[in-house]
Short mmCIF file of all heavy atoms in Angstrom, two decimals:
data_model
loop_
_atom_site.label_atom_id
_atom_site.label_comp_id
_atom_site.label_asym_id
_atom_site.label_seq_id
_atom_site.Cartn_x
_atom_site.Cartn_y
_atom_site.Cartn_z
N ALA A 296 -7.62 0.61 -23.24
CA ALA A 296 -6.25 0.93 -23.34
C ALA A 296 -6.00 2.30 -22.88
O ALA A 296 -5.17 2.69 -22.18
CB ALA A 296 -5.57 0.71 -24.71
N SER A 297 -6.82 3.31 -23.48
CA SER A 297 -6.70 4.74 -23.19
C SER A 297 -7.07 5.01 -21.72
O SER A 297 -6.42 5.92 -21.14
CB SER A 297 -7.65 5.66 -24.22
OG SER A 297 -9.04 5.28 -23.99
N SER A 298 -7.96 4.31 -21.17
CA SER A 298 -8.29 4.42 -19.74
C SER A 298 -7.03 3.95 -18.90
O SER A 298 -6.76 4.56 -17.76
CB SER A 298 -9.56 3.59 -19.35
OG SER A 298 -10.59 4.25 -20.09
N ARG A 299 -6.42 2.80 -19.26
CA ARG A 299 -5.24 2.34 -18.48
C ARG A 299 -4.09 3.37 -18.67
O ARG A 299 -3.51 3.62 -17.68
CB ARG A 299 -4.84 0.95 -19.02
CG ARG A 299 -5.76 -0.14 -18.73
CD ARG A 299 -5.13 -1.44 -18.93
NE ARG A 299 -4.95 -1.79 -20.38
CZ ARG A 299 -5.90 -2.46 -21.16
NH1 ARG A 299 -6.99 -2.82 -20.47
NH2 ARG A 299 -5.73 -2.74 -22.34
N VAL A 300 -3.86 3.93 -19.78
CA VAL A 300 -2.81 4.99 -19.96
C VAL A 300 -3.17 6.23 -19.00
O VAL A 300 -2.31 6.66 -18.24
CB VAL A 300 -2.79 5.49 -21.57
CG1 VAL A 300 -2.01 6.70 -21.54
CG2 VAL A 300 -2.17 4.34 -22.31
N LYS A 301 -4.41 6.60 -19.09
CA LYS A 301 -4.77 7.64 -18.13
C LYS A 301 -4.62 7.37 -16.64
O LYS A 301 -4.15 8.08 -15.87
CB LYS A 301 -6.31 8.10 -18.43
CG LYS A 301 -6.70 9.42 -17.70
CD LYS A 301 -5.80 10.52 -17.83
CE LYS A 301 -5.94 11.32 -19.05
NZ LYS A 301 -5.14 12.55 -19.13
N ALA A 302 -5.02 6.07 -16.16
CA ALA A 302 -4.72 5.68 -14.94
C ALA A 302 -3.29 5.68 -14.53
O ALA A 302 -2.90 6.15 -13.38
CB ALA A 302 -5.22 4.21 -14.57
N CYS A 303 -2.39 5.30 -15.39
CA CYS A 303 -0.91 5.46 -15.17
C CYS A 303 -0.50 6.87 -15.08
O CYS A 303 0.44 7.18 -14.24
CB CYS A 303 -0.17 4.72 -16.28
SG CYS A 303 -0.24 2.93 -16.23
N GLU A 304 -1.08 7.72 -15.85
CA GLU A 304 -0.70 9.15 -15.70
C GLU A 304 -1.16 9.69 -14.40
O GLU A 304 -0.40 10.62 -13.90
CB GLU A 304 -1.28 9.92 -16.94
CG GLU A 304 -0.79 9.67 -18.24
CD GLU A 304 -1.49 10.35 -19.33
OE1 GLU A 304 -2.49 11.09 -19.11
OE2 GLU A 304 -1.15 10.23 -20.52
N MET A 305 -2.24 9.26 -13.92
CA MET A 305 -2.91 10.02 -12.78
C MET A 305 -2.31 9.38 -11.49
O MET A 305 -2.07 10.07 -10.58
CB MET A 305 -4.39 9.74 -12.66
CG MET A 305 -5.10 10.39 -13.81
SD MET A 305 -6.91 10.01 -13.91
CE MET A 305 -7.51 10.56 -12.33
N PHE A 306 -2.17 8.03 -11.43
CA PHE A 306 -1.74 7.42 -10.11
C PHE A 306 -0.27 6.98 -10.12
O PHE A 306 -0.03 6.01 -10.94
CB PHE A 306 -2.78 6.29 -9.93
CG PHE A 306 -4.27 6.57 -9.90
CD1 PHE A 306 -5.15 6.32 -10.89
CD2 PHE A 306 -4.69 7.47 -9.02
CE1 PHE A 306 -6.36 6.67 -10.94
CE2 PHE A 306 -6.00 8.00 -8.98
CZ PHE A 306 -6.94 7.62 -9.87
N TYR A 307 0.47 7.36 -9.14
CA TYR A 307 1.77 6.91 -9.01
C TYR A 307 1.92 5.40 -8.81
O TYR A 307 2.66 4.75 -9.53
CB TYR A 307 2.55 7.59 -7.75
CG TYR A 307 3.81 7.01 -7.42
CD1 TYR A 307 4.92 7.49 -8.15
CD2 TYR A 307 4.04 6.14 -6.41
CE1 TYR A 307 6.20 6.98 -7.80
CE2 TYR A 307 5.20 5.57 -6.17
CZ TYR A 307 6.32 6.01 -6.90
OH TYR A 307 7.49 5.47 -6.58
N ASP A 308 1.05 4.91 -7.87
CA ASP A 308 1.26 3.50 -7.51
C ASP A 308 0.76 2.54 -8.62
O ASP A 308 1.32 1.48 -8.90
CB ASP A 308 0.43 3.10 -6.30
CG ASP A 308 -0.91 3.52 -6.24
OD1 ASP A 308 -1.42 4.36 -7.03
OD2 ASP A 308 -1.71 2.99 -5.46
N VAL A 309 -0.25 3.01 -9.44
CA VAL A 309 -0.52 2.09 -10.65
C VAL A 309 0.54 2.17 -11.67
O VAL A 309 0.91 1.17 -12.33
CB VAL A 309 -1.91 2.62 -11.29
CG1 VAL A 309 -2.21 1.99 -12.57
CG2 VAL A 309 -3.10 2.55 -10.27
N ARG A 310 1.16 3.34 -11.86
CA ARG A 310 2.16 3.47 -12.85
C ARG A 310 3.50 2.63 -12.42
O ARG A 310 4.22 2.11 -13.21
CB ARG A 310 2.52 4.95 -12.91
CG ARG A 310 3.63 5.30 -13.99
CD ARG A 310 3.64 6.85 -14.17
NE ARG A 310 4.07 7.66 -12.96
CZ ARG A 310 3.28 8.37 -12.28
NH1 ARG A 310 2.04 8.62 -12.73
NH2 ARG A 310 3.81 9.09 -11.17
N THR A 311 3.64 2.56 -11.10
CA THR A 311 5.00 2.07 -10.60
C THR A 311 4.67 0.52 -10.42
O THR A 311 5.41 -0.34 -10.81
CB THR A 311 5.15 2.59 -9.20
OG1 THR A 311 5.39 3.87 -9.40
CG2 THR A 311 6.44 2.07 -8.65
N PHE A 312 3.67 0.11 -9.65
CA PHE A 312 3.42 -1.31 -9.24
C PHE A 312 2.50 -2.13 -10.06
O PHE A 312 2.44 -3.31 -10.02
CB PHE A 312 2.87 -1.47 -7.80
CG PHE A 312 3.77 -0.76 -6.78
CD1 PHE A 312 3.21 0.23 -5.97
CD2 PHE A 312 5.17 -0.93 -6.67
CE1 PHE A 312 3.99 0.78 -5.00
CE2 PHE A 312 5.96 -0.26 -5.75
CZ PHE A 312 5.32 0.62 -4.89
N GLY A 313 1.62 -1.24 -10.91
CA GLY A 313 0.45 -2.01 -11.62
C GLY A 313 -0.57 -2.09 -10.78
O GLY A 313 -0.66 -1.68 -9.58
N ALA A 314 -1.75 -2.65 -11.34
CA ALA A 314 -3.01 -2.76 -10.55
C ALA A 314 -3.94 -3.62 -11.41
O ALA A 314 -3.92 -3.75 -12.56
CB ALA A 314 -3.66 -1.37 -10.23
N VAL A 315 -4.86 -4.31 -10.54
CA VAL A 315 -5.92 -5.14 -11.12
C VAL A 315 -7.13 -4.19 -11.05
O VAL A 315 -7.58 -4.02 -10.03
CB VAL A 315 -6.11 -6.43 -10.50
CG1 VAL A 315 -7.29 -7.15 -11.07
CG2 VAL A 315 -4.78 -7.33 -10.61
N MET A 316 -7.60 -3.62 -12.10
CA MET A 316 -8.67 -2.78 -12.28
C MET A 316 -9.92 -3.36 -12.96
O MET A 316 -10.31 -2.80 -13.94
CB MET A 316 -8.22 -1.42 -12.77
CG MET A 316 -6.98 -0.95 -11.98
SD MET A 316 -6.38 0.64 -12.65
CE MET A 316 -7.02 1.89 -11.59
N SER A 317 -10.22 -4.53 -12.58
CA SER A 317 -11.21 -5.34 -13.29
C SER A 317 -12.59 -5.21 -12.66
O SER A 317 -13.50 -6.05 -12.93
CB SER A 317 -10.77 -6.81 -13.43
OG SER A 317 -9.55 -6.98 -14.02
N THR A 318 -12.83 -4.38 -11.77
CA THR A 318 -14.15 -4.18 -11.20
C THR A 318 -14.72 -2.86 -11.65
O THR A 318 -14.09 -1.98 -12.25
CB THR A 318 -14.07 -4.14 -9.70
OG1 THR A 318 -13.28 -3.12 -9.20
CG2 THR A 318 -13.40 -5.43 -9.13
N GLY A 319 -15.99 -2.71 -11.34
CA GLY A 319 -16.65 -1.31 -11.76
C GLY A 319 -16.57 -1.04 -13.16
O GLY A 319 -16.85 -2.00 -14.05
N PRO A 320 -16.02 0.08 -13.62
CA PRO A 320 -15.86 0.31 -15.08
C PRO A 320 -14.62 -0.47 -15.68
O PRO A 320 -13.81 0.20 -16.23
CB PRO A 320 -15.68 1.78 -15.09
CG PRO A 320 -15.45 2.34 -13.66
CD PRO A 320 -15.75 1.08 -12.79
N ASN A 321 -14.50 -1.63 -15.32
CA ASN A 321 -13.43 -2.59 -15.80
C ASN A 321 -12.52 -2.16 -16.90
O ASN A 321 -12.91 -1.92 -18.08
CB ASN A 321 -14.13 -3.93 -16.23
CG ASN A 321 -13.11 -5.03 -16.55
OD1 ASN A 321 -11.78 -4.77 -16.65
ND2 ASN A 321 -13.66 -6.04 -16.94
N ILE A 322 -11.21 -1.72 -16.55
CA ILE A 322 -10.28 -1.34 -17.63
C ILE A 322 -9.23 -2.49 -17.56
O ILE A 322 -8.22 -2.29 -18.21
CB ILE A 322 -9.67 -0.02 -17.35
CG1 ILE A 322 -9.05 0.18 -16.11
CG2 ILE A 322 -10.77 1.09 -17.50
CD1 ILE A 322 -8.26 1.60 -15.80
N GLY A 323 -9.34 -3.58 -16.83
CA GLY A 323 -8.30 -4.61 -16.99
C GLY A 323 -7.19 -4.48 -16.00
O GLY A 323 -7.39 -3.90 -15.02
N GLN A 324 -6.10 -5.15 -16.35
CA GLN A 324 -4.95 -5.27 -15.51
C GLN A 324 -3.82 -4.45 -16.10
O GLN A 324 -3.62 -4.48 -17.33
CB GLN A 324 -4.58 -6.72 -15.45
CG GLN A 324 -3.37 -6.99 -14.44
CD GLN A 324 -3.18 -8.50 -14.28
OE1 GLN A 324 -3.86 -9.34 -14.86
NE2 GLN A 324 -2.07 -8.88 -13.66
N ILE A 325 -3.13 -3.77 -15.28
CA ILE A 325 -1.95 -3.05 -15.59
C ILE A 325 -0.75 -3.58 -14.85
O ILE A 325 -0.78 -3.88 -13.69
CB ILE A 325 -2.16 -1.59 -15.21
CG1 ILE A 325 -3.30 -0.93 -15.87
CG2 ILE A 325 -0.76 -0.85 -15.55
CD1 ILE A 325 -3.74 0.40 -15.32
N ARG A 326 0.39 -3.97 -15.77
CA ARG A 326 1.59 -4.48 -15.05
C ARG A 326 2.51 -3.36 -14.97
O ARG A 326 2.85 -2.67 -15.76
CB ARG A 326 2.21 -5.52 -16.01
CG ARG A 326 1.28 -6.75 -16.10
CD ARG A 326 2.17 -7.89 -16.81
NE ARG A 326 1.53 -8.85 -17.64
CZ ARG A 326 0.58 -9.59 -17.12
NH1 ARG A 326 0.09 -9.51 -16.04
NH2 ARG A 326 0.09 -10.63 -17.79
N GLY A 327 3.01 -3.24 -13.68
CA GLY A 327 4.03 -2.21 -13.39
C GLY A 327 5.50 -2.61 -13.49
O GLY A 327 5.66 -3.85 -13.39
N PRO A 328 6.35 -1.78 -13.74
CA PRO A 328 7.74 -2.12 -13.96
C PRO A 328 8.32 -2.47 -12.63
O PRO A 328 9.52 -3.08 -12.64
CB PRO A 328 8.33 -0.87 -14.54
CG PRO A 328 7.50 0.33 -14.01
CD PRO A 328 6.09 -0.26 -13.98
N VAL A 329 7.86 -2.08 -11.41
CA VAL A 329 8.44 -2.30 -10.11
C VAL A 329 7.81 -3.51 -9.53
O VAL A 329 6.54 -3.51 -9.29
CB VAL A 329 8.50 -1.14 -9.23
CG1 VAL A 329 9.05 -1.39 -7.90
CG2 VAL A 329 9.18 0.05 -9.89
N GLN A 330 8.54 -4.57 -9.32
CA GLN A 330 8.03 -5.72 -8.64
C GLN A 330 8.74 -5.97 -7.26
O GLN A 330 9.96 -5.91 -7.30
CB GLN A 330 8.24 -7.00 -9.46
CG GLN A 330 7.46 -6.95 -10.85
CD GLN A 330 5.88 -6.81 -10.67
OE1 GLN A 330 5.29 -7.56 -10.01
NE2 GLN A 330 5.40 -5.76 -11.31
N ILE A 331 7.99 -6.16 -6.24
CA ILE A 331 8.69 -6.28 -4.92
C ILE A 331 8.21 -7.57 -4.42
O ILE A 331 6.97 -8.08 -4.50
CB ILE A 331 8.07 -5.10 -3.98
CG1 ILE A 331 8.61 -3.86 -4.55
CG2 ILE A 331 8.53 -5.37 -2.54
CD1 ILE A 331 8.15 -2.61 -3.84
N SER A 332 9.20 -8.32 -3.83
CA SER A 332 8.84 -9.60 -3.17
C SER A 332 8.90 -9.43 -1.68
O SER A 332 9.29 -8.40 -1.16
CB SER A 332 9.89 -10.69 -3.68
OG SER A 332 11.14 -10.35 -3.35
N MET A 333 8.52 -10.53 -0.92
CA MET A 333 8.59 -10.54 0.46
C MET A 333 10.06 -10.40 1.02
O MET A 333 10.89 -10.82 0.46
CB MET A 333 7.81 -11.78 1.10
CG MET A 333 6.43 -11.64 0.71
SD MET A 333 5.30 -12.84 1.66
CE MET A 333 6.28 -13.73 2.75
N ALA A 334 10.10 -9.77 2.15
CA ALA A 334 11.45 -9.43 2.76
C ALA A 334 11.49 -10.36 4.04
O ALA A 334 10.47 -10.65 4.67
CB ALA A 334 11.58 -8.14 3.17
N GLU A 335 12.71 -10.80 4.30
CA GLU A 335 13.00 -11.70 5.41
C GLU A 335 14.01 -11.07 6.32
O GLU A 335 14.90 -10.40 5.94
CB GLU A 335 13.46 -13.10 4.94
CG GLU A 335 13.76 -14.07 6.11
CD GLU A 335 14.17 -15.44 5.60
OE1 GLU A 335 15.20 -15.52 5.12
OE2 GLU A 335 13.35 -16.41 5.70
N SER A 336 13.98 -11.28 7.54
CA SER A 336 14.85 -10.67 8.61
C SER A 336 16.21 -11.30 8.45
O SER A 336 16.35 -12.58 8.02
CB SER A 336 14.34 -10.94 9.96
OG SER A 336 14.20 -12.09 10.36
N ILE A 337 17.23 -10.63 8.81
CA ILE A 337 18.59 -11.17 8.76
C ILE A 337 18.75 -12.15 9.97
O ILE A 337 19.40 -13.15 9.95
CB ILE A 337 19.63 -10.06 8.83
CG1 ILE A 337 19.48 -9.29 7.68
CG2 ILE A 337 21.04 -10.65 9.08
CD1 ILE A 337 20.33 -7.93 7.57
N ASP A 338 18.16 -11.80 11.20
CA ASP A 338 18.33 -12.52 12.31
C ASP A 338 16.98 -13.15 12.83
O ASP A 338 15.92 -12.51 12.42
CB ASP A 338 18.84 -11.76 13.48
CG ASP A 338 20.30 -11.11 13.20
OD1 ASP A 338 21.15 -11.98 12.82
OD2 ASP A 338 20.50 -9.96 13.32
N PRO A 339 16.95 -14.18 13.51
CA PRO A 339 15.65 -14.70 14.06
C PRO A 339 14.95 -13.66 14.92
O PRO A 339 15.65 -12.76 15.60
CB PRO A 339 16.06 -15.92 14.89
CG PRO A 339 17.38 -16.27 14.48
CD PRO A 339 18.09 -15.06 13.93
N ILE A 340 13.73 -13.57 15.09
CA ILE A 340 13.01 -12.61 15.91
C ILE A 340 12.34 -13.41 17.03
O ILE A 340 12.26 -14.63 17.03
CB ILE A 340 11.96 -11.85 15.22
CG1 ILE A 340 10.85 -12.77 14.66
CG2 ILE A 340 12.58 -11.08 14.01
CD1 ILE A 340 9.65 -12.04 14.05
N GLU A 341 12.04 -12.70 18.23
CA GLU A 341 11.54 -13.24 19.26
C GLU A 341 10.34 -12.37 19.75
O GLU A 341 10.46 -11.27 20.32
CB GLU A 341 12.47 -13.29 20.51
CG GLU A 341 11.91 -13.91 21.72
CD GLU A 341 12.93 -14.03 22.77
OE1 GLU A 341 14.08 -13.83 22.65
OE2 GLU A 341 12.51 -14.15 23.97
N PRO A 342 9.18 -12.73 19.25
CA PRO A 342 8.02 -11.88 19.51
C PRO A 342 7.67 -11.87 21.09
O PRO A 342 7.74 -12.96 21.73
CB PRO A 342 6.83 -12.56 18.74
CG PRO A 342 7.32 -13.72 18.11
CD PRO A 342 8.78 -13.90 18.42
N MET A 343 7.35 -10.75 21.55
CA MET A 343 6.92 -10.54 22.92
C MET A 343 5.43 -9.93 23.08
O MET A 343 5.34 -9.02 22.25
CB MET A 343 7.94 -9.73 23.70
CG MET A 343 9.31 -10.31 23.80
SD MET A 343 10.49 -9.40 24.82
CE MET A 343 10.97 -8.34 23.65
N ASP A 344 4.70 -10.37 23.95
CA ASP A 344 3.41 -9.83 24.09
C ASP A 344 3.50 -8.81 25.27
O ASP A 344 3.44 -9.18 26.41
CB ASP A 344 2.43 -10.90 24.33
CG ASP A 344 1.03 -10.41 24.25
OD1 ASP A 344 0.78 -9.34 23.90
OD2 ASP A 344 0.11 -11.16 24.75
N LEU A 345 3.63 -7.60 25.03
CA LEU A 345 3.81 -6.54 25.95
C LEU A 345 2.50 -5.69 26.01
O LEU A 345 2.11 -5.13 24.96
CB LEU A 345 4.99 -5.64 25.66
CG LEU A 345 6.32 -6.41 25.53
CD1 LEU A 345 7.46 -5.32 25.06
CD2 LEU A 345 6.76 -6.94 26.87
N ALA A 346 2.00 -5.52 27.17
CA ALA A 346 0.73 -4.74 27.31
C ALA A 346 1.09 -3.29 27.44
O ALA A 346 2.23 -2.89 28.04
CB ALA A 346 -0.03 -5.12 28.50
N ILE A 347 0.17 -2.35 26.99
CA ILE A 347 0.45 -0.91 27.26
C ILE A 347 -0.50 -0.54 28.40
O ILE A 347 -1.69 -0.84 28.41
CB ILE A 347 0.05 -0.14 26.00
CG1 ILE A 347 1.05 -0.43 24.86
CG2 ILE A 347 0.18 1.29 26.31
CD1 ILE A 347 0.58 -0.02 23.59
N ASP A 348 0.11 0.17 29.33
CA ASP A 348 -0.73 0.60 30.49
C ASP A 348 -1.30 1.99 30.30
O ASP A 348 -0.47 2.87 29.82
CB ASP A 348 0.12 0.59 31.84
CG ASP A 348 0.60 -0.94 32.08
OD1 ASP A 348 -0.22 -1.81 31.83
OD2 ASP A 348 1.63 -1.05 32.76
N ARG A 349 -2.38 2.13 30.87
CA ARG A 349 -3.01 3.53 30.70
C ARG A 349 -2.71 4.26 32.17
O ARG A 349 -2.91 3.64 33.16
CB ARG A 349 -4.51 3.53 30.40
CG ARG A 349 -5.06 4.87 30.31
CD ARG A 349 -6.42 4.75 29.75
NE ARG A 349 -7.34 4.28 30.81
CZ ARG A 349 -8.71 4.13 30.74
NH1 ARG A 349 -9.22 4.27 29.58
NH2 ARG A 349 -9.39 3.70 31.63
N VAL A 350 -2.24 5.52 32.05
CA VAL A 350 -2.07 6.23 33.27
C VAL A 350 -3.07 7.29 33.51
O VAL A 350 -3.00 7.89 34.69
CB VAL A 350 -0.63 6.97 33.24
CG1 VAL A 350 0.49 5.99 33.19
CG2 VAL A 350 -0.57 8.03 32.05
N CYS A 351 -4.01 7.41 32.70
CA CYS A 351 -5.16 8.34 32.81
C CYS A 351 -6.31 7.72 33.60
O CYS A 351 -6.48 6.51 33.46
CB CYS A 351 -5.67 8.89 31.60
SG CYS A 351 -4.51 9.80 30.66
N VAL A 352 -6.95 8.50 34.44
CA VAL A 352 -8.07 8.01 35.18
C VAL A 352 -9.38 8.30 34.38
O VAL A 352 -9.51 9.39 33.77
CB VAL A 352 -8.22 8.73 36.48
CG1 VAL A 352 -9.43 8.19 37.33
CG2 VAL A 352 -7.00 8.43 37.36
#
Side-chain angles (χ1 to χ4, degrees):
S297 64
S298 296
R299 285 193 293 267
V300 168
K301 187 50 85 172
C303 288
E304 288 174 6
M305 293 173 63
F306 303 115
Y307 170 85
D308 55 340
V309 173
R310 182 171 64 249
T311 305
F312 307 125
V315 177
M316 303 178 103
S317 302
T318 63
N321 182 359
I322 61 174
Q324 184 175 354
I325 299 169
R326 293 194 205 305
V329 177
Q330 299 300 310
I331 296 178
S332 60
M333 292 194 2
E335 186 177 64
S336 64
I337 295 172
D338 299 311
I340 63 170
E341 183 180 342
M343 293 184 277
D344 191 12
L345 302 173
I347 298 173
D348 295 330
R349 183 171 76 179
V350 295
C351 298
V352 177

